[in-house]
Every structure is written in C-alpha cells, then in structure tokens.
Amino acid sequence: DVKVTQSSRYLVKRTGEKVFLECVQDMDHENMFWYRQDPGLGLRLIYFSYDVKMKEKGDIPEGYSVSREKKERFSLILESASTNQTSMYLCASSEGSATNEKLFFGSGTQLSVL
Amino acid sequence: GENVEQHPSTLSVQEGDSAVIKCTYSDSASNYFPWYKQELGKRPQLIIDIRSNVGEKKDQRIAVTLNKTAKHFSLHITETQPEDSAVYFCAARRGGGNKLTFGTGTQLKVEL
C-alpha cells in the first residue's frame, strides 16, 4: 500500500515565523502535491511537482514556496506565517501515468498560526 | 483556469435511499473526473473516476455520469448505508496536465 507521511499532525506557530511542512512518499511516485482544506472551500491546490527540482504553481501559491530535492520528499514552506494560513494542509502523490491518476493523500497537518 | 462547482453542500437521506451529487466544470478541455470520499478525521480516498470518452461508469452501488455537452457530471449512490456518511469531493483535470481542481465538497449524512 502506498504510504504518504506528513511529519506533523498538529502544529502551532506564531505570526511571522518560517514554517516547514514535510511530506514523504514511499512508492516512487513522479507527482506530488500540496493542498489546503478549509470548510466550505474544498481542497485548493497550492503547488505541485512532477519531477525532482520541478515545481508549478497551483491556484493559491501566494505566501508559499516548495522544495523537492529528492523524489520521495516534497516540502511546503511558509516564509512568514500569517493568521490566514491557519488551515489543514494535505500532501498527496500520484504515479504520473496517463492511465493511473489516483491521488494518495497524507493524513494532513492542522496548522494554527497565532 | 478550471472552475468546479458542486451541489448540494449538504445532503441528508434515509438509509436505503439514493443520493445524487452534481458538479459542473468550466473548461471544455477537461477530460478526467474523479470523486473522492473523506470520512470524518481521515484522508480523502478515490472512490470512482470517469474519463471524457465514457458517458457512465458503475462500481457496485456507486455510479458516475458525464455530460460533456453540458459540462456536468454526477455521483449516484444507491441503497445508501450509514458508512456512506462522509464528505464527497468531485474534481476535474484538463487534458495533458497534472492539476486537479476540486469542488467545494458535499457533506452526506445517511440517517437510520
């Protein structure tokens, strides 16, 4: 079974702090994604990566950056955390083939910015 | 970019009844439409998907229909059971890309 592991389940940070959210997958997937989930807004794509060192902006990239130095690891960085970034963050990965596009999600990180 | 609208936001049905969730999309180049189920406190999981060359797909009690002309697709759950209670998300992906755009979710409650 594919395992997508997010480093923290709950995180509390202060406004202005630099925050790192880590995600690791163990199935050699090409694609990795960061979503945030807010009530009534669904899942919104922040950034995704289709290869090592490659990244593309999603729908809401402002205030975030990402890093993918190794295939299995995709990091989300909040350069200067703000209260409106309080949210549930979900990492996901997929095989990247045209016939198998299933997303495997991590269990999420609930980030609170005070 | 793609915009996916999902209705209703909440749906309550009696056990054994059918449930229907509807989504519309804006980008006519979208060709892949998955549905994800998220139980309370758990991660979203794929339950069924459909591609634009198919009008309908079934998997036991779950079916998805696609109307490309009208740019809408629907999830149908028959003989609902309490374990079907969850949030359901539809999504759409433009052909040739990796980016999935999700709807805002439907909270389905199956009452005994």
Side-chain angles (χ1 to χ4, degrees), chain B residues 11-54:
Chain B
L11 179 59
S12 187
V13 299
Q14 294 293 314
E15 183 180 8
D17 287 351
S18 295
V20 181
I21 302 170
K22 298 182 179 182
C23 289
T24 60
Y25 60 98
S26 60
D27 189 345
S28 56
S30 289
N31 64 358
Y32 174 66
F33 308 92
W35 287 86
Y36 283 79
K37 174 185 180 182
Q38 185 177 29
E39 296 177 24
L40 187 62
K42 297 193 175 179
R43 65 194 78 188
Q45 292 195 311
L46 179 70
I47 55 171
I48 195 167
D49 56 12
I50 192 168
R51 296 185 187 275
S52 57
N53 58 347
V54 174

Side-chain angles (χ1 to χ4, degrees), chain B residues 46-106:
Chain B
L46 179 70
I47 55 171
I48 195 167
D49 56 12
I50 192 168
R51 296 185 187 275
S52 57
N53 58 347
V54 174
E56 184 176 2
K57 185 176 178 181
K58 285 184 181 178
D59 183 2
Q60 299 182 346
R61 296 186 296 107
I62 292 172
V64 57
T65 58
L66 171 65
N67 183 326
K68 285 194 298 183
T69 304
K71 290 191 281 188
H72 67 70
F73 57 112
S74 300
L75 178 71
H76 304 254
I77 306 173
T78 58
E79 300 171 25
T80 53
Q81 300 168 6
E83 52 265 38
D84 294 329
S85 295
V87 178
Y88 292 81
F89 293 99
C90 63
R93 182 188 57 71
R94 182 187 176 91
N98 289 307
K99 181 179 150 183
L100 264 183
T101 300
F102 282 86
T104 51
T106 296

Side-chain angles (χ1 to χ4, degrees), chain A residues 44-91:
Chain A
R44 294 180 292 164
L45 182 63
I46 304 171
Y47 266 97
F48 66 100
S49 169
Y50 51 89
D51 201 352
V52 176
K53 297 191 186 294
M54 305 302 288
K55 60 185 179 184
E56 281 197 36
K57 292 180 180 179
D59 297 315
I60 51 165
E62 297 79 18
Y64 303 94
S65 62
V66 290
S67 172
R68 194 166 180 200
E69 296 295 319
K70 294 185 177 181
K71 192 174 186 180
E72 67 271 17
R73 186 180 297 269
F74 192 35
S75 303
L76 180 69
I77 303 152
L78 287 66
E79 294 290 340
S80 177
S82 63
T83 54
N84 62 11
Q85 293 179 309
T86 291
S87 185
M88 170 66 81
Y89 290 87
L90 287 166
C91 174

